Amino acid sequence: MRRPASAPVATALTPGTQLTREWQGVRHEVVVEPDGRLRHRDELHRSLSQVARKITGSRWNGPRFFGLRGEEDGA
């Protein structure tokens, strides 16, 4: 099931949650805002996948990129 476009973005992550990932020697931090959007380097994003794409320049499953899903989760 897909979420509607108007649904909150990070429904499984509570506001204030901080995610950290190192990519090519650079540490990236993402914070879940009260409205569910994700803040990365003073830019707001609607999904972890958008953040992962911004960081890597290629398509990624955002939760997998940030270690929230493993290979066995089928994502």
Side-chain angles (χ1 to χ4, degrees):
M1 178 181 275
R2 295 180 162 244
R3 68 176 167 79
S6 61
V9 178
T11 55
L13 301 174
T14 58
T17 298
Q18 296 181 358
L19 302 170
T20 303
R21 166 73 194 257
E22 186 173 319
W23 180 257
Q24 296 183 346
V26 178
R27 182 182 167 122
H28 295 273
E29 293 184 4
V30 174
V31 177
V32 180
E33 295 293 318
D35 63 2
R37 292 185 294 170
L38 304 154
R39 181 173 300 278
H40 172 254
R41 295 191 174 174
D42 294 326
E43 291 183 14
L44 293 173
H45 300 276
R46 294 179 42 98
S47 71
L48 285 173
S49 296
Q50 285 181 339
V51 177
R53 178 184 275 181
K54 183 83 171 185
I55 292 169
T56 66
S58 62
R59 287 183 165 251
W60 270 85
N61 175 289
R64 182 178 288 168
F65 180 79
F66 283 97
L68 301 177
R69 284 194 189 150
E71 295 292 325
E72 68 281 354
D73 290 338

